[in-house]
Amino acid sequence: MKQSALRARYRRIVGFFARVTASFIWWEIILRRLGLGRLADRTRTRRNARTAARFRVLAISMGGLMIKVGQFLSARLDVLPVEITDELSGLQDQVPPEEFAAIHEVALAELELPLAEHFAWFDEEPLAAASLGQVHRARLKDADAADLGYADVVVKVQRPHIQQVIEVDLAALRRVAGWLTHYRPVASRADVRGLVEEFATTTLAEVDYLAEASNAETFATNFADDVRVSVPRVVWELTARRVLTLEDVSAIRIGDHDAISAAGIDRGEVATVLADTYLQQIFVDGFFHADPHPGNLFVTPQPGAAPGEPAWRLTFIDFGMVGRVPDTLREGLTEALIAVGTRDGARLVHSMQTLDVLLPGADLALIERATLQVFERFGGMSMNQLRGIDHAEMMRFGLQFRDLMLEMPFQLPQNLLMLGRSIGILSGMCTGLDPDFNIWGTITPYAEELVAEEGGSTARRVLTEAGKIAVVALGLPGRTDRVLTMAERGELTLGTPLLTRQVRRLERTIRRTNGILVFAAVLVAGALVTGADPLLGRWLMILSVVPLLWTMMTGRGGPHGR
């Protein structure tokens, strides 16, 4: 690929994000410092949606990593507003296919012989074309088919020059990440440079097809005893770093709800099995499929299944993106799962601390109260029921915990990024399969098993109302002792955060008003004397910038500054 084309690509990506950054500075910093924050607030949702739509167009036209960046951003609900994530959520990794001659050259370089020497038939029309590679159907030669027990395969071939494109795209993203580290609301919630490096690591792993083949076999081994799950077998003799050959397991896409129903398969059962498999992947195997979008999952009917065997199987494909859950992370996730399953707010807050999900200084007591209210009001509801909740009910909840809603003291650590994205996609698929799918019905039995494994009868009693009362009663002596100790040491204080914020906001308003008045006075004076003394007039207008800058730099701006 020509260097001029790569440089133009870099400039286009950086230029887009530079324009977005400039727009953000103007609307969210400069106008707010000048006391025009309400104007920025009124137009923010529309501006964000327009920016996301423009990025969507850019991503589709450029391919490369940009589509994956859009998919990545659509999962960042902790950092980005919902109008952006919604606009990007439907971004599919589908781009125009590469010319077959170019694909054949890559395959020839990797397999060392023409495709006709390896396959009895090879379809030149791609089955699917993505940003990093494309997939073709093929048929093995008779001898190979006899040895392996199947003939139909799919061959995934990497796009030519994709490594160069990835390097350029990552260089542009690292440049943009450097800018974002200077914006505290983003930097405080995420290690932006770390996220880019995590994204880079994941992407580079995706273009190593030998690693993907190994991932598929690891997944198959983990589910070897589960007759409900299947994984395509790898043809290792026809697999290399840029070419991957797998058994063709095409069946009903999990997103084709009508076809699933037409096959006589209970969609609610499919949703339950899908959720079950992810509980095992996360909490047992510590190894999970990190890209569970509808194109990577099939529902495979099993006609003539023997008694006791399932009438269908859940088939996973495309293991280029996988995640691993280290023991320390798994412990925190297990704690969180038990807390949700047992409706234990204190335990859930503790698990959030263990997982490093809470920002420093978060009000733990307030979060615990909000969590308990969520369990009490919404626990046990299906997603369909949650969507039907009265708007006034949600408003009352929001007003009750308005400080928490304003602060949003949560972050998504780097090691939870892929897992959070996978769970988000998984939730949407389960609800699509069955609008009445109730995740509580899946989590609660699993949580009960984990509680039983803990061997703690007290923890298990939390599952009942009597258990809740017992836990609170058991905690009272310790809490009383801590309060008395703080009082004796003179450390017990009563905070008035709302009053403090109002006073500080008033101080900032006064400083901004004074600065704006001085700026306007000097600017108008310069304009008035320009006719009589152009030199003095120009100097006065130039000097008016000083109080303007002072106004912009005074205090902490932003909608939630304190």
Side-chain angles (χ1 to χ4, degrees), residues 154 356 488 495 507:
V154 292
D356 198 27
E488 289 172 358
E507 290 173 349

Side-chain angles (χ1 to χ4, degrees), residues 245-293:
T245 305
L246 298 164
E247 175 188 10
D248 187 354
V249 292
S250 301
I252 304 172
R253 288 177 178 259
I254 200 167
D256 192 345
H257 301 152
D258 292 340
I260 294 173
S261 298
I265 297 171
D266 183 345
R267 283 162 39 188
E269 186 181 345
V270 176
T272 300
V273 171
L274 178 59
D276 281 345
T277 63
Y278 266 87
L279 288 172
Q280 175 180 327
Q281 292 173 57
I282 296 166
F283 295 101
V284 178
D285 303 329
F287 178 89
F288 63 94
H289 190 299
D291 195 19
H293 66 75

Side-chain angles (χ1 to χ4, degrees), residues 53-193:
R54 288 171 179 165
F55 179 80
R56 184 189 182 100
V57 172
L58 176 79
I60 293 173
S61 65
M62 295 192 72
L65 292 189
M66 290 302 100
I67 289 179
K68 292 190 174 294
V69 169
Q71 293 173 331
F72 165 83
L73 293 176
S74 70
R76 293 317 309 256
L77 297 173
D78 59 322
V79 176
L80 297 174
V82 67
E83 58 269 18
I84 291 180
T85 57
D86 282 352
E87 177 67 31
L88 298 178
S89 62
L91 194 59
Q92 298 294 317
D93 192 359
Q94 296 175 345
V95 296
E98 198 76 37
E99 291 289 338
F100 181 72
I103 290 296
H104 188 272
E105 284 186 21
V106 173
L108 178 61
E110 293 293 312
L111 301 180
E112 299 179 349
L113 287 173
L115 292 173
E117 296 292 327
H118 292 294
F119 300 96
W121 169 77
F122 194 99
D123 190 355
E124 295 187 6
E125 289 296 319
L127 177 64
S131 53
L132 304 183
Q134 58 192 54
V135 178
H136 294 256
R137 279 199 170 100
R139 187 172 298 114
L140 297 174
K141 288 182 174 293
D142 291 342
D144 292 332
D147 289 341
L148 296 173
Y150 54 90
D152 294 330
V153 294
V154 292
V155 184
K156 187 175 179 180
V157 184
Q158 201 170 109
R159 285 180 179 267
H161 313 299
I162 194 61
Q163 290 283 356
Q164 292 173 290
V165 171
I166 289 173
E167 289 173 7
V168 168
D169 289 3
L170 289 176
L173 293 175
R174 289 182 177 114
R175 179 78 174 272
V176 174
W179 299 343
L180 292 178
T181 56
H182 298 295
Y183 182 53
R184 199 179 68 82
V186 172
S188 64
R189 280 178 164 77
D191 176 5
V192 184
R193 284 196 172 99

